[in-house]
Amino acid sequence: MKKRLWLSLALAYPLMLTGAHAADAKQPWLDAAQSPDARADQLVKAMTLDEKIQTVFAYFSTEFSPKKHEQPKEGRPDSAGWVPGIPRLGLPSQWQSDAGVGVATQAVSKKPYERTSLPSGLATTATWNPKLAFAGGAMIGSEARSTGFNVLLAGGVNLMREPRNGRNFEYGGEDPLLAGVMVGEQIRGIQSNHIISTVKHYAFNDQETNRNHIDVKIEDQAGRMSDLLALQFAIERGQPGSVMCAYNRINGDYACENNYLLNEVLKQDWKYPGYVMSDWGATHSTIPAALRGLDQQSGFPFDKSDYFNQALKEAVVNRHVPEARLDDMVKRITRTMFANGVVEHPVATPTSTDAGIDFTAHGKVSQADAEEAIVLLKNHNDLLPLAAGVRSIAIIGGHADVGVLSGGGSAQVYPKGGSAVPNEGPAYFPGPIVYHRSSPMGELAKLTKAKLAYNDGKDVAAAAKLAASSDVVIVFGNQWMAESFDSDDLNLPGKQDELIAAVAKANPKTVVVLQTGGPVVMPWLNNVGAVLEAWYTGSNGGAAIARVLSGEVNPSGRLPATFPASLAQLPRPKLDGDAKTKDETVIEKFTTDYNIEGAAIGYKWFDLKGHKPLFPFGYGLSYSSFALEDLSAKPAGTGIEVTFSIKNTGKRDGKAVGQVYVSSLAGGWEAPKRLGGWDKLELKAGASGKASVKIDPRLLGVYDSASKTWKIAAGEYLVTLADSAGAKPAASVKVKLDATTVDVNGR
Ligand code: BGC
């Protein structure tokens, strides 16, 4: 049975606080006036070998019966991890919780934390608004703190090489700059609460199928210009305290014992000062992992052995692992705790289950994010926003009468009062399927005079009948995605495509609202009136969807990933690794070749191959219209400075995203163009605004593995201003650059 020990924790904690504040000559590391590095050096010197080992080894903080694991008494209940503190030295515990959309609960819990959920990470990226990413991060970080966590396992930034990836909803889409900036801002927001955030999963964990073993083949140059670049941008922006190494192998070695990734790229080249923690079950050894750069083993007993416990101690005693390396691990962990304020601002044990959180205010933060995330993909004859004269609306499918869908797995945040649709999907991880209690139908009822009628969509003929007798139809298409599996194809699951086709046939004034983890195909697209991609909208998602439908909110989301027209357009029409294989000896042989597309992910691949997607990266409509104007660009330092303006030429106030793409006219790039920057402006009807964008030199050059530099070739570069990666540019200018070399970090 799980024991809840709020009370004993509450009693024990003040002792630790006393230690934390007692900076005196004997405990100089508690003097916050010193640098985090100096403090950590002093602390490490004061630690015994056992205390060092204790700091690099984390326990799963949830009962786990298959491994006969009990929840550690001092861990937070039903959470991802706990590392014991050292009260005699004033070092608090590390209490770790998932994840990127809010405070999650491990799926085995019967009494989950009920917390605010942001929209999915992909949705937040679709806002193209870094301020919202920061605000959302700050909000969930504050809930983590209130709940007693000082490490939030957020910051998912794996690039969307694979639109079927079950975890795309946790990540930031397909472009290294967009994903890096948006996820980096979220991390910055989280850490503004004096807690630590991770960035994850390092690296190339871009599919779930056989994620624990699949060996990703990728060359250095292609990796540095794609997935690693996204991570690099996110780390520079967000300065996450920790990097979580991934499950998969890269060029033969597991990510958590991969010298190239951990020691060479992360620690030497990027000079990353924080610590590397393993994903849960991603540690495979003691000596290789320690020597190749892992700093903390996570979530024991997920791994086969407690590699960083007594085995590591023995390896240090026997000098297979130098004690200096153990000291480096501990220093990285503790300097980060000092740097992030975890020691000076200790988290407390919550005294109530809701931890004093202002859920109304936090729901509004989530809603603001969702409202800008929704992408209007089609709007024939201005079917949206719903006209004032509409008298009857049929709402069909997707449980839209009670709630909004969310993504599953370790990142699952539970709503107050539990899921709006109980007992759906797998009973255990990565299920159950959770619906946030914000009903699109209920919220729409507050905004329209039309009569609303609901049909659950299970009986296609009955749904079509209701559609035929209504002025307008709003049909929901749901795709539940979760950690641990990928989708088989890009179609909506079950009979939903058939349902949508049938209601559209009965009534062409059909609006489709998609709640999906990522891209889907739309075989019914030509026959429906309007399409909104809502993603997973979070705690207040119903209100966000209703406000976009009614026109209270003018949609301004833009696709953070290409929507392919078919699987045949992808670099790997068939996913590598057989999801059904259970035999570990076979699984270990699976590889996947990311050199096929190399750094040409998403729109870059589509440009290269001349494929026409269903909807291009960057695409999204508005209830208003905008003109992109006054483009100018000039060399500035090692980059390019671009200015432009946007005019709202329509009749409604709204927001528009000016996207700056850049091409090398001499060629030599992985693809014809790259996103160089963007700006999102809020403009009243008729108003114009100015924007400026600085293109990072790494987006103008090509990474050279031999010299570890980025080389920008002399010549002409075409800078274009466009609505999307697929649109004809509104304007373009040429910029002449001299040959330039910048270092691995773009400086
Ligand atoms: C996931 C991580 C997560 C961890 C802890 C793993 O299964 O891959 O993203 O942080 O579990 O729950």
Side-chain angles (χ1 to χ4, degrees):
M1 222 188 73
K2 250 171 287 190
K3 295 172 209 98
R4 292 185 176 271
L5 292 153
W6 299 111
L7 189 63
S8 63
L9 279 167
L11 293 175
Y13 206 72
L15 296 173
M16 221 172 263
L17 293 189
T18 324
H21 290 294
D24 58 26
K26 282 196 204 123
Q27 300 199 315
W29 56 87
L30 295 179
D31 174 7
Q34 300 189 81
S35 74
D37 288 287
R39 297 173 70 186
D41 284 335
Q42 292 155 355
L43 175 61
V44 172
K45 280 203 190 97
M47 286 169 114
T48 65
L49 179 58
D50 285 327
E51 285 168 341
K52 291 176 191 171
I53 294 290
Q54 171 184 322
T55 306
V56 302
F57 181 69
Y59 298 88
F60 188 43
S61 190
T62 299
E63 181 192 313
F64 190 46
S65 47
K67 298 248 177 149
K68 299 198 171 55
H69 174 72
E70 284 198 20
Q71 181 190 293
K73 287 192 183 55
E74 288 173 65
R76 304 293 189 219
D78 300 326
S79 63
W82 172 66
V83 181
I86 307 172
R88 86 168 180 100
L89 301 174
L91 192 71
S93 288
Q94 295 158 58
W95 287 284
Q96 305 165 328
S97 172
D98 287 300
V101 296
V103 176
T105 306
Q106 291 296 320
V108 285
S109 177
K110 291 196 184 59
K111 202 173 163 235
Y113 297 102
E114 296 178 348
R115 293 292 179 263
T116 309
S117 173
L118 288 171
S120 62
L122 194 63
T124 298
T125 309
T127 68
W128 295 58
N129 183 344
K131 289 197 181 94
L132 288 173
F134 179 88
M139 183 274 282
I140 62 170
S142 84
E143 291 200 6
R145 161 166 287 281
S146 304
T147 314
F149 294 105
N150 50 20
V151 182
L152 194 61
L153 309 170
V157 70
N158 294 85
L159 283 192
M160 197 189 292
R161 278 179 194 272
E162 179 44 69
R164 287 161 291 190
N165 179 5
R167 299 187 84 174
N168 281 333
F169 74 91
E170 295 189 52
Y171 303 146
E174 70 189 24
D175 181 75
L177 179 69
L178 180 67
V181 167
M182 296 300 290
V183 176
E185 282 301 301
Q186 190 200 34
I187 292 168
R188 217 166 58 79
I190 292 168
Q191 293 195 157
S192 68
N193 294 284
H194 297 300
I195 65 171
I196 292 168
S197 175
T198 55
V199 70
K200 69 188 189 186
H201 305 87
Y202 188 72
F204 305 104
N205 179 189
D206 299 345
Q207 69 175 58
E208 289 297 280
T209 304
N210 279 327
R211 65 173 178 174
N212 289 319
H213 302 285
I214 196 142
D215 188 14
V216 171
K217 300 295 180 198
I218 179 97
E219 278 164 18
D220 177 58
Q221 184 191 55
R224 302 251 193 179
M225 292 171 65
S226 58
D227 297 55
L228 295 177
L229 187 57
L231 282 146
Q232 198 178 13
F233 283 139
I235 290 171
E236 287 166 8
R237 280 255 169 180
Q239 305 202 353
S242 184
V243 169
M244 188 190 291
C245 51
Y247 286 124
N248 50 292
R249 292 177 290 162
I250 300 95
N251 298 327
D253 287 335
Y254 284 105
C256 294
E257 52 185 57
N258 194 303
N259 193 62
Y260 161 75
L261 273 187
L262 306 183
N263 281 338
E264 189 182 328
V265 176
L266 183 69
K267 293 181 178 177
Q268 282 163 30
D269 296 346
W270 297 352
K271 303 189 170 54
Y272 178 68
Y275 63 102
V276 177
M277 69 163 78
S278 60
D279 200 342
W280 274 231
T283 307
H284 295 274
S285 65
T286 300
I287 299 169
L291 296 180
R292 296 178 191 168
L294 179 65
D295 299 310
Q296 191 176 64
Q297 178 181 3
S298 303
F300 188 75
F302 273 91
D303 295 306
K304 283 197 178 130
S305 181
D306 53 346
Y307 300 108
F308 273 29
N309 198 1
Q310 291 312 303
L312 181 59
K313 183 176 171 185
E314 202 178 305
V316 169
V317 169
N318 294 335
R319 303 184 185 214
H320 297 303
V321 172
E323 185 153 2
R325 171 66 189 115
L326 176 63
D327 289 353
D328 174 50
M329 298 176 186
V330 179
K331 177 177 174 182
R332 284 173 173 276
I333 296 166
T334 55
R335 58 88 45 211
T336 302
M337 294 172 78
F338 291 129
N340 285 32
V342 164
V343 180
E344 270 68 56
H345 305 270
V347 292
T349 307
T351 49
S352 62
T353 42
D354 71 2
I357 291 166
D358 183 345
F359 289 106
T360 309
H362 288 189
K364 294 216 168 93
V365 174
S366 173
Q367 186 177 328
D369 187 349
E371 286 176 355
E372 279 200 32
I374 296 171
V375 185
L376 178 63
L377 292 174
K378 176 174 180 178
N379 198 14
H380 184 61
N381 283 342
D382 292 339
L383 180 54
L384 291 177
L386 296 167
V390 172
R391 282 159 306 145
S392 60
I393 302 174
I395 312 259
I396 296 174
H399 298 293
D401 55 334
V402 290
V404 287
L405 185 60
S406 62
S410 60
Q412 183 72 63
V413 175
Y414 287 84
K416 259 193 162 326
S419 176
V421 184
N423 307 321
E424 206 178 76
Y428 298 103
F429 186 91
I433 300 177
V434 170
Y435 285 78
H436 292 295
R437 291 174 173 255
S438 177
S439 148
M441 181 170 170
E443 294 295 332
L444 188 61
K446 297 179 193 164
L447 303 173
T448 175
K449 293 199 181 80
K451 198 169 130 279
L452 306 184
Y454 183 72
N455 176 286
D456 66 12
K458 284 185 187 137
D459 177 344
V460 173
K465 197 168 163 216
L466 175 65
S469 65
S470 307
D471 285 352
V472 173
V473 184
I474 303 172
V475 56
F476 284 73
N478 284 7
Q479 180 204 38
W480 181 67
M481 295 303 293
E483 180 179 346
S484 80
F485 68 86
D486 299 320
S487 63
D488 292 335
D489 53 35
L490 294 173
N491 286 85
L492 289 172
K495 290 191 172 167
Q496 295 181 96
D497 283 333
E498 193 191 309
L499 171 71
I500 295 170
V503 301
K505 196 167 172 215
N507 186 341
K509 288 194 172 173
T510 288
V511 179
V512 182
V513 179
L514 294 169
Q515 305 191 82
T516 68
V520 287
V521 291
M522 305 173 201
W524 30 258
L525 184 62
N526 290 336
N527 305 320
V528 302
V531 182
L532 285 176
E533 174 56 83
W535 319 105
Y536 304 141
T537 43
S539 289
N540 283 25
I545 292 170
R547 277 162 55 82
V548 170
L549 289 167
S550 71
E552 314 282 309
V553 169
N554 189 351
S556 66
R558 299 290 182 266
L559 293 182
T562 307
F563 275 42
S566 73
L567 288 177
Q569 294 180 325
L570 301 179
R572 281 166 295 280
K574 187 179 169 309
L575 268 168
D576 291 316
D578 184 348
K580 294 182 188 79
T581 304
K582 294 280 174 279
D583 177 354
E584 297 244 330
T585 57
V586 178
I587 287 172
E588 296 237 2
K589 295 200 174 75
F590 282 125
T591 63
T592 187
D593 186 7
Y594 286 179
N595 291 313
I596 295 173
E597 74 278 33
I601 301 179
Y603 65 91
K604 294 171 183 164
W605 172 258
F606 277 69
D607 279 353
L608 198 61
K609 295 284 162 185
H611 292 325
K612 193 176 174 328
L614 186 63
F615 291 107
F617 172 83
Y619 181 81
L621 303 170
S622 163
Y623 298 153
S624 191
S625 53
F626 299 93
L628 300 170
E629 302 170 330
D630 307 328
L631 175 67
S632 83
K634 57 170 198 279
T638 50
I640 294 181
E641 204 174 276
V642 185
T643 57
F644 60 92
S645 59
I646 308 181
K647 181 165 196 213
N648 184 342
T649 53
K651 293 199 180 71
R652 280 174 181 265
D653 301 350
K655 294 177 186 169
V657 182
Q659 300 161 37
V660 175
Y661 294 91
V662 59
S663 307
S664 159
L665 289 178
W669 284 9
E670 75 284 8
K673 67 173 183 282
R674 302 171 181 162
L675 180 70
W678 76 92
D679 203 359
K680 186 169 193 176
L681 300 184
E682 179 168 11
L683 297 166
K684 296 251 178 257
S688 305
K690 287 191 192 322
S692 76
V693 159
K694 177 115 201 311
I695 305 180
D696 188 287
R698 285 166 288 188
L699 297 170
L700 299 169
V702 169
Y703 184 76
D704 176 54
S705 296
S707 62
K708 294 200 175 199
T709 58
W710 296 80
K711 292 199 184 300
I712 302 168
E716 283 195 317
Y717 291 78
L718 189 70
V719 174
T720 59
L721 179 62
D723 265 343
S724 79
K728 194 170 157 289
S732 57
V733 291
K734 283 182 191 160
V735 179
K736 219 165 161 207
L737 297 179
D738 296 332
T740 311
T741 299
V742 294
D743 74 9
V744 67
N745 295 307
R747 290 192 281 266

